Structure formats: structure tokens, C-alpha cells
């Protein structure tokens, strides 16, 4: 039987069995609406409190009520940006980075349509934002700076403390999309100095459809979803109790597994990366000169195109993703790699492997065994590959 | 994930006629690495009869680009150049059991490589090129007005989205959309007039 080697954990993760176990009763017996008055609804309400405490603990929030639950990372990002702007009607400018996830990156166009100016911070060849440009891009009418904590494609970690210090000195709120950082790195909002932070459940072994937004106490914010009184009036809509319980448990596990992530998973990633670069000629690491999340590697294979690599790997049972245009559904390759100055043909040929606590040495052995012949085979087809 | 037919996957996994013909009589190379796909078609052509004795391909690109190039070589082998010139991008797509609409440009690219090879054999300018009087409309993907015109005409395209799916033109910055719409409008007027006469 063909094995399944799942190395695409930055796309989504397997739900942890402990998480399934804890959330299931809230799908079956404990289905009450936490807003209801009767005793039957108390268990879900209490379970949400526990989940909120666990999320707050993982990100180092001062108080659990600084956490609001959302439907996903994208909602958290949208709520952070639009919620801040709505609370500051005189402010008409937002600073973003040029390597943000589409959940933030694509807000630029919408913001411009709504009469906001945006500044896209450039990054260096390793994907780190230009801090001087940031300092020079904050104006009297700047509402928010949003720079991701860790990049989804390369794993490159932003200097969040320095960014926060610049924002603090200029009196501007700082939001960070930490969807790819949480569970992979120590994330502490108080140490980092962020006012808003987004995270997502399904990237840390909870199911899809749940996320959270940290809003530091005292931060100006108006709800992005308007309706009922849920989440202290900051996010209307009946709470996804099973998902929230799952997210809470996943956060507790993430804290427990953080040591495994930064040691064992990092060693797996390092070996995978080292062996691929050694075994495959004309392969290049993207963002390798920067501090990165321990689970992610992005490698470009010159002369060939990413989608073809992914489909041949899929035939071998390996799941990964690519920065190529063909896999994005658009005609242009990864904006992240392009912003880093990666040549366009190498952006088309980039493959991302992202590991998790469930990956093993045997997985790495399998990939480094199967990948080189796949690359060689596709290069045989390429008009550019040297003979 | 793209919804590729079994045929596309078959030709992607086990492409026929991969490689370069030794001492080719004709070479057609289209696309650019920056645009994400390149096809090179090499032909062995029988002198006098103009019959294609051998056709081989190399492709930098995705599964459907590889499959389109491979099946093209099968479609044209044994045909004379004049007969081969009748093979359309639609023939390539149909031979593969269809392509996802956003991937139709792969079949167009196969057809372009064929036309480029035939032009190369006949020492004619590359079809639709600036050399042939074409003007670049889409700068992102270097697509000329003549090329868009021809593909709109041959495939009876009606929208900018169609043109992007078939030629990539307009698929990046979007600044050429007005020009593309003008070309569509003009070709469709011409087609309607031709129908009447």
C-alpha cells in the first residue's frame, strides 16, 4: 500500500485525538447554547471559559477576556484591521508587509476602495521587513500596523519586538498574524508588545472553522460581526462551542508539545532540508538566512515547475505545497518569494515542506529517498536543464 | 486541486515522445520561464513531402502543459506540415478529454509551439510576433494583439476571462483589460459580419 507522508502542516493539520475526545461531548450530549439561562447550558458555557483561559495562557495574555473566538484566522485578521479602523474614524492609513498571508495582503485593495491609504513594507532577501521604512511610514492618521509573526511559505520569523517598539513609540496599534507562529515558537503577547494577535485552530491540531483574536485590554476596537451580545459584544454570532473547546485543548497541547517542536521537529526539518539540498543539484533554500519556525522549509528546484513536482510527489504519497502559479489558481507565483527577490523562475519551482509533531524520522527518510528521482525525471522533460 | 482527466494524468505520468529530435529540421519554442511555462517542439521533416517523421517535446510547466505537448506530438506525427497546421488548440484539449478552463492556455501553447516550428521550417517570421507586425498588449506575459485576435477568433471567445484562460493575457496586473475587450469586440463584430455575407 502507498504510504501517506503528510508534510503540509502549514496548510492544515491532523486533529489531535485528545482534541477530538474533548470536543465530542459538545456535539452530542452538551449541545446547549451557552447564552441560554437554564442549567443545561452551563456546561458549554463553562467549557468555553476553560478554553478561553487555555488560549490566553498559550499566548501570554493578561486576562482571558482579552481573547475573542472567531471562525478562522482570516476572520481574526479581518476583524483586527477593520475593527481597529472602525474604532478610529479619523485614521485613514494602514501599514502592512509585502509578505503577509492573503488574509491580510489582499485587504490592501479593499482598504483602498474604502478610501484608506496603505503602505506595503518591503522585505529583504530573507523576508524580514525594513524597520526604517516602518518607522518612516507611520503618520498622524495611521490606524494600525499589521506584520505577521511567522511566514506561512518560508517560516521566516519577523522581529516582532522591534516592530512593536516602533509602533509603541509612534502611538500606533500593532497587529500580528501569528497563525503560523503559535505552537511552533514561544509566543507571548506581553513580551512581544502586540495589541492584537490572530491565531487559527486548524494549524495547531484543532478542527477547521475556529480561530481567536487577542485584543489587549484598552485597545480601541469595534466589532467586525454585528448582532448579538456574544464575546462581550465584540463578536456576534452563536459560539462554535465544540470548535472552541477543541481550540482550547489544542492550545494546552501546543504548550506541552512546544519543546518537542523546537527540538525533535526542528531536527527532522533540518535533516530533511540538508539532505534534499545535498542530494538534489541546483536546489536553493528560501529564507534560510533568517530565524525560522522549526517545522518549515521552502526549497526551489531550478529548471522545473512546482505543480508538476507536487503531483509526482502525490503519486508517491507525499503531501507538500508550492509557490508556483499553477497551484495558486492565479497566473503569478508566490508574492512572498517575489517580495524577497527570489527570481521568478525559482518562485515557480518552490516547494514547501511543513512538519508537525506527528512526523517521524521514517517520513524524512521516505521523502529524501523519493524526491531526487522525481526532480531528475522532471528535469529530463525540461528544455532548460543541463544535460 | 485541479480536476484533471485520466488522460491528462496518463500523459503527465508517462509522456510519449519526450526529448529532442537529433538534428531537427524544425524547432518551435514558445513561452518563457518567467511566465511559468515553456514548450520546445522539435521535428524531423521528410524533404519533398514535408511529412513529419518524428516529433519530440520538452516542457517546463505544469501537468497539463506537459500532457498537451506530449499528445500534440502524437497528433502530428505522420502528417504533412499542411495537415499538421490544421490541428487546433481545441483538438489538443479534446484529445486529452478536456482541460480545466483556467488551463486552456496549455493547449494554446501546444498549438503555438507547432505553428512556431512550421514557421521555423519555412524560414517565416514567428506567428503573431512583433516581427510579424504584432503589438504587445499584455506586458506581464508578453502577448501580442495578433495572438489574442487569432485565439479569440479560433475559439469564439467572448470575455476577458476567456482570453486570460486561453492566452494568460490580462492574468496579472490587469492594465490591458480595456485593450483585450476592444479586441474581443472587434473580432466578434467581424465574425458576425462574416456570418452574414
Amino acid at each position: 500500500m502507498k504510504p501517506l507522508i503528510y508534510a503540509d502542516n502549514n496548510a492544515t493539520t491532523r486533529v489531535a485525538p485528545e482534541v477530538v475526545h474533548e470536543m465530542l461531548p459538545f456535539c452530542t450530549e452538551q449541545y446547549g447554547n451557552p447564552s441560554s439561562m437554564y442549567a443545561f447550558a452551563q456546561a458549554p458555557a463553562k467549557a468555553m471559559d476553560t478554553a478561553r483561559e487555555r488560549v490566553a495562557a498559550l499566548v501570554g495574555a493578561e486576562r482571558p477576556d482579552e481573547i475573542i473566538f472567531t471562525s478562522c484566522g482570516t476572520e481574526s485578521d479581518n476583524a483586527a484591521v477593520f475593527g481597529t479602523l472602525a474604532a478610529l474614524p479619523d485614521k485613514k492609513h494602514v501599514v502592512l508587509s509585502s509578505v503577509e498571508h492573503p488574509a491580510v495582503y489582499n485587504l490592501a485593495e479593499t482598504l483602498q476602495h474604502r478610501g484608506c491609504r496603505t503602505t506595503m513594507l518591503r522585505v529583504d532577501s530573507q523576508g524580514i521587513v525594513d524597520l526604517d521604512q516602518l518607522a518612516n511610514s507611520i503618520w498622524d492618521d495611521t490606524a494600525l500596523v499589521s506584520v505577521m509573526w511567522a511566514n506561512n511559505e518560508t517560516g521566516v520569523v519577523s522581529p516582532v519586538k522591534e516592530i512593536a517598539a516602533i509602533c509603541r513609540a509612534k502611538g500606533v496599534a500593532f497587529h500580528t498574524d501569528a497563525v503560523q507562529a503559535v505552537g511552533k515558537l514561544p509566543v507571548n503577547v506581553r513580551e512581544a508588545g502586540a495589541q492584537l494577535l490572530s491565531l487559527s485552530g486548524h494549524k495547531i491540531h484543532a478542527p477547521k472553522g475556529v480561530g481567536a483574536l487577542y485584543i489587549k485590554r484598552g485597545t480601541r476596537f469595534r466589532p467586525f460581526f454585528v448582532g448579538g451580545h456574544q464575546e462581550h459584544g465584540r463578536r456576534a454570532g452563536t459560539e462554535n462551542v465544540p470548535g472552541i473547546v477543541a481550540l482550547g485543548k489544542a492550545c494546552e497541547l501546543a504548550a506541552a508539545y512546544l519543546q518537542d517542536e523546537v527540538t525533535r521537529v526542528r531536527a527532522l526539518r533540518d535533516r530533511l532540508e540538508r539532505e534534499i539540498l545535498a542530494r538534489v543539484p541546483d536546489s536553493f533554500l528560501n529564507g534560510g538566512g533568517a530565524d525560522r519556525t522549526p517545522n518549515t522549509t521552502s526549497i526551489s528546484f531550478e529548471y522545473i515547475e512546482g505543480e508538476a513536482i507536487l503531483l509526482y510527489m502525490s503519486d508517491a504519497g507525499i503531501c507538500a505545497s508550492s509557490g508556483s502559479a499553477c497551484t495558486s489558481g492565479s497566473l503569478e507565483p508566490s508574492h512572498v518569494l517575489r517580495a524577497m527577490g527570489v527570481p521568478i523562475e525559482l518562485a515557480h519551482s518552490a516547494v514547501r515542506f511543513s512538519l508537525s509533531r506527528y512526523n517521524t524520522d521514517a517520513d524524512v527518510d521516505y521523502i529524501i529517498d523519493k524526491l531526487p528521482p522525481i526532480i531528475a525525471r522532471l528535469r529530463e522533460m525540461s528544455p532548460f536543464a543541463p544535460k | 486541486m485541479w480536476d484533471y482527466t485520466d488522460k491528462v494524468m496518463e500523459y503527465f505520468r508517462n509522456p510519449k515522445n519526450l526529448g529532442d529530435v537529433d538534428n531537427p529540421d524544425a524547432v518551435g519554442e514558445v513561452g518563457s520561464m518567467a511566465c511559468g511555462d515553456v514548450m520546445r517542439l522539435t521535428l524531423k521533416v521528410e524533404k519533398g513531402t514535408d511529412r513529419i517523421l518524428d516529433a519530440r517535446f520538452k516542457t517546463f510547466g505544469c501537468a497539463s502543459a506537459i500532457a498537451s505537448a506530449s499528445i500534440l506530438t502524437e497528433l502530428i506525427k505522420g502528417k504533412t506540415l499542411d495537415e499538421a497546421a490544421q490541428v487546433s488548440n481545441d483538438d489538443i484539449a479534446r484529445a486529452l478529454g478536456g482541460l480545466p478552463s483556467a488551463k486552456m492556455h496549455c493547449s494554446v501553447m501546444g498549438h503555438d509551439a507547432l505553428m512556431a516550428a512550421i514557421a521555423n521550417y519555412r524560414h517565416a517570421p514567428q506567428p503573431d510576433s512583433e516581427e510579424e507586425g504584432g503589438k504587445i498588449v499584455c506586458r506581464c506575459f508578453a502577448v501580442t494583439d495578433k495572438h489574442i485576435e487569432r485565439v479569440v477568433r479560433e475559439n469564439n471567445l467572448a470575455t476577458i476571462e476567456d482570453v486570460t484562460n486561453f492566452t494568460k493575457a490580462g492574468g496579472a496586473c490587469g492594465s490591458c483589460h480595456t485593450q483585450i475587450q476592444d479586441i474581443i469586440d472587434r473580432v466578434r463584430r467581424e465574425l458576425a459580419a462574416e456570418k452574414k455575407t
Side-chain angles (χ1 to χ4, degrees):
Chain A
M1 204 185 82
K2 192 171 79 178
L4 178 80
I5 309 296
Y6 189 76
D8 200 17
N9 288 279
N10 286 8
T12 195
T13 58
R14 172 182 168 183
V15 181
E18 303 94 316
V19 168
V20 175
H21 177 78
E22 192 141 328
M23 75 179 279
L24 268 186
F26 297 92
C27 301
T28 53
E29 297 95 31
Q30 299 291 352
Y31 53 81
N33 185 327
S35 297
S36 299
M37 283 301 130
Y38 31 77
F40 176 60
Q42 259 191 10
K46 277 205 149 55
M48 276 199 355
D49 290 343
T50 305
R52 205 181 303 276
E53 283 160 17
R54 286 168 165 172
V55 177
L58 182 68
V59 300
E62 201 173 337
R63 298 155 48 132
D65 65 6
E66 291 176 320
I67 302 295
I68 65 170
F69 293 114
T70 65
S71 62
C72 58
T74 296
E75 186 197 323
S76 298
D77 287 336
N78 274 252
V81 173
F82 290 118
T84 302
L85 278 169
L88 303 167
D90 298 338
K91 312 265 183 181
K92 299 280 182 206
H93 178 229
V94 175
V95 180
L96 312 170
S97 92
S98 51
V99 293
E100 292 302 301
H101 183 274
V104 172
Y105 188 78
N106 289 341
L107 290 179
E109 205 183 319
T110 303
L111 288 170
Q112 286 155 19
H113 276 299
R114 296 191 186 181
C116 262
R117 290 162 15 254
T118 55
T119 299
M120 283 279 189
L121 298 176
R122 59 179 167 259
V123 297
D124 66 15
S125 64
Q126 302 306 308
I128 303 290
V129 290
D130 185 330
L131 295 176
D132 291 332
Q133 191 197 3
L134 168 63
N136 293 327
S137 299
I138 299 173
W139 306 89
D140 289 343
D141 68 342
T142 304
L144 183 74
V145 171
S146 182
V147 178
M148 69 200 325
W149 194 305
N151 186 270
N152 48 307
E153 293 187 28
T154 59
V156 168
V157 177
S158 296
V160 278
K161 277 186 196 170
E162 285 87 337
I163 295 167
I166 292 169
C167 295
R168 191 164 48 245
K170 304 257 182 185
V172 171
F174 171 42
H175 165 251
T176 182
D177 174 346
V179 165
Q180 296 291 350
V182 167
K184 295 169 186 150
L185 301 165
V187 166
N188 187 302
V189 284
R190 273 181 291 171
E191 277 177 27
Q195 281 74 47
L196 299 130
L197 175 142
S198 302
L199 63 91
S200 169
H202 76 107
K203 310 289 194 195
I204 55 168
H205 306 285
K208 293 148 193 75
V210 64
L213 177 64
Y214 160 82
I215 309 170
K216 186 182 166 69
R217 198 157 49 111
T219 304
R220 301 289 303 276
F221 180 84
R222 282 184 71 83
F224 180 59
F225 276 22
V226 179
H229 55 84
Q230 292 88 352
E231 301 294 289
H232 297 285
R234 289 175 301 176
R235 199 275 190 182
T238 299
E239 303 89 338
N240 169 11
V241 178
I244 289 166
V245 169
L247 176 61
K249 184 64 183 175
C251 284
E252 187 189 62
L253 290 170
Y257 275 98
L258 188 59
Q259 197 52 36
D260 177 68
E261 189 80 20
V262 299
T263 55
R264 192 188 63 88
V265 174
R266 180 186 292 274
L268 287 180
R269 189 277 311 267
D270 289 348
R271 186 162 74 87
L272 175 69
E273 182 172 284
R274 201 171 51 238
E275 289 295 328
I276 292 174
L277 293 172
R279 290 174 191 216
V280 181
D282 301 322
S283 54
F284 304 95
L285 185 57
N286 298 310
D291 183 21
R292 289 179 296 154
T293 46
N295 77 319
T296 307
T297 185
S298 165
I299 301 177
S300 289
F301 299 97
E302 201 169 1
Y303 315 121
I304 54 177
E305 192 274 339
E307 181 198 294
I309 305 172
L310 296 192
L311 292 178
Y312 271 1
M313 285 206 294
S314 171
D315 281 350
I318 303 168
C319 307
S321 32
S322 167
S324 90
C326 284
T327 57
S328 67
S330 80
L331 291 170
E332 291 184 292
S334 153
H335 71 278
V336 173
L337 299 176
R338 296 292 293 138
M340 291 162 66
V342 173
I344 194 160
E345 58 271 23
L346 288 179
H348 278 297
S349 76
V351 174
R352 175 191 72 188
F353 298 93
S354 48
L355 308 178
S356 82
R357 71 179 72 133
Y358 296 119
N359 286 109
T360 62
D361 267 310
D363 293 347
V364 171
D365 290 338
Y366 186 85
I367 298 172
I368 61 183
D369 181 47
K370 294 288 176 193
L371 185 63
I374 288 174
I375 302 299
R377 172 79 173 131
L378 284 167
R379 283 181 177 168
E380 266 177 50
M381 297 185 199
S382 168
F384 302 111
K387 295 251 156 63
Chain B
M1 186 108 199
W2 298 105
D3 190 13
Y4 285 134
T5 63
D6 291 345
K7 199 92 181 181
V8 170
M9 290 309 287
E10 182 192 321
Y11 276 80
F12 167 60
R13 290 186 179 119
N14 297 300
K16 313 278 192 326
N17 304 319
L18 174 64
D20 287 312
V21 169
D22 287 335
N23 304 315
D25 299 307
V27 179
E29 186 164 315
V30 291
S32 84
M33 203 127 86
C35 298
D37 31 28
V38 179
M39 236 174 242
R40 183 164 75 209
L41 179 68
T42 48
L43 306 178
K44 195 87 210 160
V45 182
E46 191 175 51
K47 296 280 178 291
T49 64
D50 275 4
R51 196 166 292 281
I52 298 170
L53 300 175
D54 197 7
R56 293 187 174 271
F57 82 97
K58 282 201 164 184
T59 296
F60 164 87
C62 56
S64 50
I66 291 168
S68 294
S70 178
I71 207 149
L72 167 71
T73 58
E74 291 206 311
L75 289 173
I76 61 172
K77 259 195 185 180
K79 287 194 163 80
T80 65
L81 292 179
D82 285 338
E83 288 163 357
Q86 300 304 309
V87 173
S88 67
N89 69 275
D90 193 50
D91 293 331
I92 296 171
R94 270 188 293 144
L96 290 169
L99 285 172
S101 53
K103 292 284 194 175
M104 282 305 288
H105 61 84
C106 294
S107 69
V108 172
M109 185 169 233
H111 181 254
D112 292 348
L114 171 62
M115 300 313 281
I118 294 174
N120 173 257
Y121 184 78
R122 293 176 172 161
H123 304 288
Q126 290 293 297
D128 308 333
S129 65
E130 290 181 273
E131 192 190 352
E132 217 201 13
K135 280 209 301 288
I136 298 280
V137 170
C138 168
R139 299 201 172 277
C140 300
F141 295 109
V143 188
T144 63
D145 53 354
K146 288 189 85 164
H147 186 66
I148 296 170
E149 249 174 70
R150 187 168 55 74
V151 176
V152 168
R153 179 175 280 274
E154 288 174 1
N155 295 279
N156 197 19
L157 304 183
T159 65
I160 295 170
E161 192 187 340
D162 288 343
V163 170
T164 303
N165 285 340
F166 277 70
T167 68
K168 291 192 174 187
C173 79
S175 65
C176 61
H177 281 190
T178 317
Q179 281 169 280
I180 294 176
Q181 189 63 57
D182 288 347
I183 295 173
I184 296 170
D185 293 345
R186 176 161 48 78
V187 173
R188 293 187 74 81
R189 271 197 308 274
E190 287 167 10
L191 286 172
E194 284 161 25
K195 230 178 178 177
K196 271 187 205 155
T197 52

